[in-house]
Amino acid sequence: MNRENTPPSPVASARNLDDYWMPFTANRQFKARPRLVESAEGLYYRSVDGRQILDGCSGLWCCNAGHGRREISEAVARQIRELDYAPSFQMGHPLPFELAERLAAIAPPGLNKLFFTNSGSESADTALKIALAYQRAIGQGTRTRLIGRELGYHGVGFGGLSVGGMGGNRKAFSANLLPGVDHLPHTLDIARNAFSRGLPEFGVEKADELERLVALHGAENIAAVIVEPMSGSAGVVLPPLGYLQRLREITRKHGILLIFDEVITGFGRIGEAFAAQRWGVTPDILTSAKGLTNGAVPMGAVFVHQDIFDAFMQGPDGIELFHGYTYSGHPLACAAALAALDIYQGEGLFQRAIELEDYWCDALLGLRDLPHVVDIRCVGLVGAVQLAADPAGAGLRGYRVFEQCFHDGAMLRCTGDTLALAPPLIIDKAEIDRLLEIFAGAVRKVA
Ligand SMILES: Cc1ncc(COP(=O)(O)O)c(C=O)c1O
């Protein structure tokens, strides 16, 4: 893809970019025209060629408190001097216990048992394994089937990939995904819901598809349903009004566990600590990562309901769950998470998305007359602008806008022809204007 107004980057010749196989990246395109950042402070990255780039997606939906937070870097630096590593199998150190107590205090009701991982993918796989092992532990061993949803994203492990519903991610592995998985339909319905403010009005009945799957497979064979309360990676797909409540009613009625994947929605993105609280629906298990440490150190956390935990604490006194990671509860990750929580709570950032929501939605919906816009979705401090595909190919227009934005000083995400925005929660109204101005300019330029 050659574009005249994207200057050749000086770094391409100055550095060897050959040996790093980049994740979820068009490696050849990137290496021909790299986008490299070398430092960050507040709302801004600085590129290697010295430009300020407004961070419109909190890194990768991670840095909710903005960049360069000294409280976090100092806590991590102190911690590595004090205790660099300690095993978490049949051993312990104080920090994960302290962090678990802090997280339990902000969790939705009852979700007060914490299992630590290193990523969102590991959190998803952990949640699925806990669900399966729980059903067995309570004598419901036939409940082995897992239900995900189309357009869902639960990371890249075989578990998360199997319940996930983004076709492109699955296609190279389709014969090797977990057996016994089915999917609910997604809730994106532009024909009925285009340009909704907040949760869309139409589509609650899509939750009833779960009754159809229950009739098809038998409730006694289904262990759990996993959904993102709001799908982020697929391009900000929101739950219709009443949809999550309906899923909760149906799962409860049939003894099926409900898992919310809040890897993106957790830690203030929608307002409140979790979307579960903002939207008033409590799952049985909730997964998180990303914002947990403000993105500073890899870490995930799985919130598990007390009743589920209790079911494992019966029987012979030995290892109750044969699962865990070398770095579960890593001291540096715990130190970063504790410092991030102090910032979130000290600065009231879990309320920030609610305070700014009206302004944010007004500003985003104000872009509807830009060329090629077919839908705009917004809630909390997250949003997406969906463009019509270029006749030359799906995703080309979205990618061009993304590239143009970076060139013009703003970083956002593109998924196909949808541009997603989720700025750090410390953003103010003037910076929202600036972000959307750069974005609007980029859409016009590539139109
Ligand atoms: C909802 C959700 N679950 C899981 C993941 C996977 O997280 P990770 O990339 O940390 O493995 C992501 C990543 O974007 C996500 O959005």
Side-chain angles (χ1 to χ4, degrees):
M1 222 184 294
N2 269 324
R3 294 219 346 286
E4 288 156 17
N5 53 0
T6 307
S9 166
V11 289
S13 50
R15 289 165 212 243
N16 173 14
L17 302 178
D18 289 347
D19 298 330
Y20 174 31
W21 186 343
M22 299 174 69
F24 273 121
T25 296
N27 276 252
R28 286 159 297 173
Q29 272 175 32
F30 181 93
K31 289 168 189 183
R33 251 192 340 277
R35 290 172 293 280
L36 291 176
V37 294
E38 63 184 5
S39 63
E41 188 72 34
L43 290 170
Y44 287 86
Y45 281 109
R46 189 182 154 84
S47 66
V48 290
D49 49 349
R51 294 178 306 113
Q52 294 280 97
I53 313 280
L54 180 48
D55 181 1
C57 207
S58 304
L60 204 45
W61 323 85
C62 303
C63 308
N64 292 359
H67 297 277
R69 299 302 306 242
R70 295 277 134 69
E71 304 90 324
I72 299 176
S73 52
E74 282 163 14
V76 172
R78 271 196 309 276
Q79 187 54 44
I80 198 168
R81 286 194 294 269
E82 182 84 14
L83 177 68
D84 51 358
Y85 175 77
S88 284
F89 299 176
Q90 308 285 29
M91 274 283 304
H93 63 98
L95 285 190
F97 295 93
E98 185 184 337
L99 179 59
E101 188 179 5
R102 288 282 300 277
L103 291 171
I106 61 164
L111 299 186
N112 55 0
K113 292 290 174 278
L114 274 298
F115 196 102
F116 292 118
T117 72
N118 307 290
S119 68
S121 300
E122 289 181 359
S123 291
D125 283 6
T126 297
L128 298 173
K129 287 177 75 176
I130 289 176
L132 292 170
Y134 165 76
Q135 297 290 14
R136 224 174 123 97
I138 61 165
Q140 299 276 317
T142 59
R143 290 185 181 265
T144 54
R145 191 169 278 276
L146 301 167
I147 310 279
R149 189 170 59 189
E150 295 166 352
L151 294 186
Y153 183 65
H154 305 290
V156 293
F158 276 100
L161 194 58
S162 302
V163 290
M166 294 180 70
N169 295 350
R170 296 163 55 94
K171 127 176 123 191
F173 316 102
S174 69
N176 307 98
L177 298 177
L178 292 185
V181 172
D182 213 331
H183 291 79
L184 291 165
H186 65 74
T187 63
L188 184 62
D189 187 349
I190 296 180
R192 289 195 294 170
N193 289 320
F195 304 105
S196 295
R197 168 183 285 268
L199 300 191
E201 191 180 344
F202 300 106
V204 63
E205 73 285 352
K206 295 197 173 142
D208 294 333
E209 286 292 305
L210 183 54
E211 288 285 15
R212 192 180 60 77
L213 294 180
V214 167
L216 184 67
H217 300 298
E220 71 279 14
N221 294 315
I222 303 177
V225 170
I226 181 168
V227 292
E228 301 154 274
M230 174 210 85
S231 296
S233 300
V236 183
V237 181
L238 297 172
L241 281 167
Y243 173 91
L244 295 173
Q245 283 81 356
R246 183 81 58 96
L247 270 191
R248 179 68 284 190
E249 283 157 24
I250 300 171
T251 47
R252 187 166 283 135
K253 179 167 100 187
H254 294 293
I256 298 168
L257 294 179
L258 180 61
I259 303 169
F260 276 179
D261 185 338
E262 295 230 27
V263 166
I264 282 180
T265 50
F267 301 100
R269 177 57 51 200
I270 308 292
E272 307 283 357
F274 298 97
Q277 292 146 328
R278 177 82 197 271
W279 291 332
V281 178
T282 304
D284 302 296
I285 302 176
L286 182 156
T287 63
S288 70
K290 296 190 187 270
L292 171 59
T293 62
N294 202 41
V297 182
M299 186 179 217
V302 182
F303 294 70
V304 182
H305 196 281
Q306 174 82 48
D307 294 345
I308 296 177
F309 178 80
D310 287 345
F312 284 88
M313 299 302 129
Q314 316 292 321
D317 193 6
I319 294 173
E320 296 95 358
L321 180 66
F322 283 82
H323 178 71
Y325 303 96
T326 298
Y327 301 119
S328 284
H330 193 285
L332 303 193
C334 290
L338 286 164
L341 275 179
D342 285 342
I343 297 173
Y344 292 147
Q345 294 182 310
E347 297 181 7
L349 292 183
F350 294 156
Q351 289 309 309
R352 187 84 181 134
I354 297 176
E355 289 159 15
L356 282 173
E357 185 173 57
D358 279 343
Y359 191 85
W360 173 249
C361 287
D362 284 342
L364 267 176
L365 289 166
L367 303 176
R368 64 186 291 169
D369 294 329
L370 285 174
H372 309 300
V373 172
V374 295
D375 189 18
I376 294 175
R377 303 181 279 279
C378 58
V379 74
L381 258 178
V382 58
V385 177
Q386 186 162 340
L387 305 175
D390 187 320
L396 292 177
R397 179 171 283 138
Y399 186 77
R400 285 202 298 268
V401 172
F402 158 73
E403 257 199 331
Q404 188 66 51
C405 281
F406 192 82
H407 179 251
D408 294 348
M411 198 192 80
L412 24 85
R413 287 280 302 151
C414 69
T415 305
D417 290 298
T418 299
L419 285 302
L421 299 104
L425 306 174
I426 56 169
I427 199 166
D428 61 19
K429 292 178 180 173
E431 298 286 3
I432 289 176
D433 292 348
R434 187 174 150 73
L435 175 63
L436 297 188
E437 230 173 76
I438 296 173
F439 173 68
V443 174
R444 286 193 196 97
K445 281 183 203 167
V446 305

